[in-house]
Every structure is written in C-alpha cells, then in structure tokens.
Amino acid sequence: MNRIWAKSVLSLLLTACCLSHTCDVRAEILRLKSTAVVNSSVVRLGDVADVLNADEAEAARMQAMILQPAPAQGRTQVITISQIRSRLQALGVDLSQLELTGRSQIRVSSESPREEPQVKKVATQQELQQTEEKVQQALQNWISRTAPQASHFRVSVRLQPADVPVVRETRADGFYFSQLDLNRQTEQPVLLQLKDAQGMVRQVRVICQVQRVPEILAAKYTLNRGTVVRADDLVWMRPEKDQKGISDPRQVIGRELTRTVYQTQPMRTEDLIEVPLVRDGAIVTVYARRGGISVRREMRARGDGSMGDQITLIALEGRDRLTATVTGYNQTEVNYRPSSQMPQSTGIQFISGTTESAGPSRGGQVQTVYEIQRGGRSK
C-alpha cells in the first residue's frame, strides 16, 4: 500500500514539473536566411535572420546586434550557423533560450551604392555678370593684340548661364576667339575656345557686339580760362569707359574756354563759347542805316557779344544809351538787317597748325581738315 502511494506521489510531481517547465520556457527562434544583401559597413543579426517568438523590444535589440564587417563591394561572404552561435555567445546571449532554424549558412553581399542624380549648378546673376566681364576684358585685349592699327573698339558680350562654370574655372590668358567681324556693328556669335580643368579643348558660343569708338579731343597742355583754342593746343585721345567728348575739331577750334582745362583732359561743349566779337568796355562802331544813308558813331559796349547778339551801348560822352546787334569785330548795327542782305565776311579765325582742304562738302563748301597730334592719354 505504501509502495503504491509513493509511486502515485512521484508521478504527480513529475507531471507538475513538466507542466511548469512547459509554461516557463518560451524560447526565441532565429530563422536564418539563405542570402542577404547589406547596405552598410557591418552585418547585423537582422540582416541574416528573422527573430520570432519575441516581444517587439527584444526583437529590435537582437536585430541590431553586429555580427561582423560587411564584405567589400562586388564580393560575397558566407556566414555559418556556428559563427553566428559563437558571436551571440560572445555578446552574452543565453543560447539555451534560443532556437536556430533555417539554413546552415548564409551568403552575404554588399549593395551597390546608389548613384545620386547630378544636379547642375545654376549660375547666379552675380556670377554671370562677373564671367561676362572676364570674357569682355579678354576679348578687348585680344582685339588690341590682333588688330593694333585698328580704331578703338568697345565690346560687350552675353553668355549662356550653363557655360559660366567652365569659363570661370579657366584662365583668361588662354582664351582664343574666332569668327569675329570687326566691321559688323550689330550682335554676332563668336566662338570662344578654351581648355577646361582636365585639359580638354572646349568651345563656348558667345554673343558679342563690337562698337567702334571715335577718339576725342583733349588739351595738349593746360589751357587757362579765356584761351581761344587752336589746333596746336589739342591732341587726340582714346576715351575711357563711358567717357564723353568731342570728336569734331570744328566744334572746338576758334572757341573760347570758360574754365581752365588741364593737360590730357577732354574738351567739353559746355566749357566752350563762341569768341566774343565785342567785349565789355570796348569802344565799338555802331551803324545806323536808312535807305541809302548810313551814319556811324563810336560808343562803349556794356557786356560781351558774339555775332548776332544784342548788346547795350552807351555814349562816350553824355547819357545816350541804345541796344545794337553785333555784326563784326567791334562793329554793331541798329535797325539790324538780315544776314542775307549784309556783305559776306569771313570774320576772325583761330586755326593755327597745319590745315588742308578736304574737297567740297555735300553743300558745295570746302571743308578744312585739321592736323592734330595723336597719342593723348587720360590721367
């Protein structure tokens, strides 16, 4: 009886132990893959196996475990189940609570790097302007070297924004221009040849406009206020950028300066006046004509006057005062007649220097060409 009771108790204890072990042991499962592709520098457990029968936090922790370095690009490594066990044991994982299933070895390779699409850099407005100025200066220098005897030229250029990077990276002294017509005043396409950073010869299409800039007249030496300008007082000079001046000697020679003009300074229209034929305080002859009778009288001028100007005259003795029209050097007239009814006079000319006839103009008059020295430079 005692023996039977003892066997029953032992059976109950074994059953309880088995049930207790079944309830407490909840083994995690690693299902190994046959192949794996990694896109980082290391191989993690999550790359080669699926973690099953584990809560979310534990599964994430195990998937992040690092097994070994990833293979090089274009190569494949084989990881065995034994290597995985050894690595997990080294990381402190209790292998008695872990079940490994699936393949006995995994072929691991690295993913090829993705080629990012190259985005072309768009040149800013400032970069475009600076590059156009660089090409413009290079073209200006190139014209001066290739056509030193030609007249002065001013050029402007336009570039495509896509061509800015290669032009900015190239030295300007290596630029070569072709298909440029100096006689064409409108916009024209010009080929700019250059070598890029790799030594490759590149061609860039540039829109160019060439303008012929006439030389202007400047003072050969300092000319004081009141000076009547002569041809010997002048010199030709090339204008600087946006510098204005006078290119016709007839608008300068024989005129009087209203201010001092220093050496190599350009002559300006606002600084020149017609030479007064009558000056303030001068004694002039005034004519009065009626029919065939002509009367003249000497009077004193109050103010300066050029041909055709109205000036005030006062008597040399007494208080007589009248207004007359300047008709010549120290000559005036009241009851002024139109110039068509007056005798023609050449007046006074201040044209020293060498002159020569240029032949008749379109109106039939003979033009005068003034020989003026060249080579003036702006300071």
Side-chain angles (χ1 to χ4, degrees):
M1 181 69 180
N2 291 333
R3 185 179 294 176
I4 296 173
W5 180 83
K7 288 182 178 180
S8 299
V9 172
L10 182 60
S11 177
L12 290 173
L13 291 173
L14 291 174
T15 303
C17 289
C18 291
L19 291 174
S20 176
H21 180 75
T22 303
C23 294
D24 293 341
V25 177
R26 190 167 177 259
E28 289 144 352
I29 301 174
L30 286 182
R31 187 171 61 194
L32 303 180
K33 304 175 183 178
S34 60
T35 60
V37 178
V38 296
N39 57 5
S40 64
S41 60
V42 293
V43 180
R44 290 180 170 82
L45 185 60
D47 295 327
V48 299
D50 298 322
V51 181
L52 307 175
N53 202 25
D55 58 34
E56 185 176 347
E58 181 65 14
R61 185 184 71 84
M62 295 189 67
Q63 288 174 348
M65 291 180 177
I66 298 175
L67 300 180
Q68 64 180 48
Q73 285 291 331
R75 296 194 175 184
T76 302
Q77 285 183 349
V78 176
I79 302 178
T80 65
I81 191 171
S82 299
Q83 291 174 322
I84 295 176
R85 282 198 181 101
S86 299
R87 179 58 179 168
L88 293 178
Q89 189 174 12
L91 293 173
V93 177
D94 186 2
L95 297 181
S96 64
Q97 301 295 321
L98 191 62
E99 180 181 351
L100 276 66
T101 64
R103 302 287 182 171
S104 61
Q105 60 182 20
I106 307 100
R107 297 178 63 85
V108 181
S109 59
S110 293
E111 184 180 22
S112 300
R114 295 181 180 178
E115 294 184 1
E116 297 293 334
Q118 295 184 354
V119 180
K120 290 186 177 180
K121 183 181 177 182
V122 179
T124 64
Q125 187 62 33
Q126 181 180 7
E127 291 174 338
L128 177 61
Q129 181 178 353
Q130 291 175 347
T131 308
E132 287 179 341
E133 290 176 355
K134 176 181 178 180
V135 176
Q136 178 177 315
Q137 185 61 47
L139 180 57
Q140 191 87 48
N141 296 338
W142 186 81
I143 292 176
S144 300
R145 293 194 307 268
T146 56
Q149 304 302 323
S151 301
H152 183 52
F153 292 96
R154 182 176 297 156
V155 298
S156 60
V157 300
R158 288 191 294 111
L159 287 173
Q160 293 296 327
D163 296 327
V164 169
V166 66
V167 178
R168 282 174 60 88
E169 296 172 358
T170 309
R171 291 171 54 92
D173 54 8
F175 291 173
Y176 175 78
F177 300 90
S178 61
Q179 301 180 359
L180 177 63
D181 185 0
L182 294 177
N183 295 320
R184 181 174 173 180
Q185 299 292 306
T186 57
E187 287 190 335
Q188 57 180 305
V190 177
L191 284 181
L192 166 60
Q193 295 184 1
L194 49 84
K195 286 186 178 180
D196 60 17
Q198 289 73 35
M200 300 285 292
V201 177
R202 300 281 298 273
Q203 287 189 342
V204 176
R205 188 171 181 268
V206 179
I207 302 300
C208 169
Q209 184 169 11
V210 180
Q211 294 179 332
R212 193 185 300 271
V213 181
E215 293 180 314
I216 59 176
L217 292 166
K220 189 174 182 180
Y221 33 75
T222 299
L223 301 175
N224 295 323
R225 176 183 176 182
T227 300
V228 178
V229 182
R230 306 168 303 166
D232 290 344
D233 300 328
L234 301 173
V235 65
W236 291 107
M237 64 171 285
R238 290 184 174 181
E240 301 294 332
K241 183 178 181 181
D242 299 328
Q243 187 179 37
K244 297 181 179 179
I246 302 175
S247 299
D248 187 352
R250 293 173 297 180
Q251 298 179 10
V252 179
I253 296 174
R255 294 179 179 265
E256 184 176 321
L257 288 171
T258 59
R259 72 174 182 92
T260 298
V261 179
Y262 296 96
Q263 184 178 10
T264 71
Q265 282 189 341
M267 310 299 291
R268 302 186 307 172
T269 303
E270 55 267 32
D271 299 332
L272 297 163
I273 59 172
E274 293 284 351
V275 176
L277 297 176
V278 175
R279 296 188 181 272
D280 184 32
I283 297 176
V284 301
T285 301
V286 56
Y287 291 89
R289 295 183 175 88
R290 183 179 296 273
I293 301 175
S294 175
V295 179
R296 70 178 185 178
R297 181 183 179 184
E298 305 297 325
M299 303 186 74
R300 191 179 302 277
R302 282 289 177 262
D304 297 340
S306 300
M307 178 68 73
D309 290 345
Q310 298 282 326
I311 63 170
T312 299
L313 304 177
I314 60 175
L316 297 179
E317 297 179 358
R319 298 183 178 180
D320 292 346
R321 179 185 295 264
L322 57 85
T323 300
T325 303
V326 177
T327 58
Y329 180 66
N330 286 340
Q331 290 186 1
T332 61
E333 185 175 330
V334 293
N335 300 325
Y336 180 65
R337 296 172 295 169
S339 59
S340 59
Q341 299 179 11
M342 297 179 61
Q344 297 297 322
S345 174
T346 57
I348 301 175
Q349 294 183 342
F350 301 87
I351 59 171
S352 66
T354 305
T355 64
E356 60 180 2
S357 173
S361 64
R362 292 183 179 180
Q365 298 178 348
V366 175
Q367 296 178 328
T368 301
V369 176
Y370 301 96
E371 292 293 335
I372 299 175
Q373 180 181 350
R374 280 178 163 76
R377 294 182 300 171
S378 177
K379 288 187 178 180

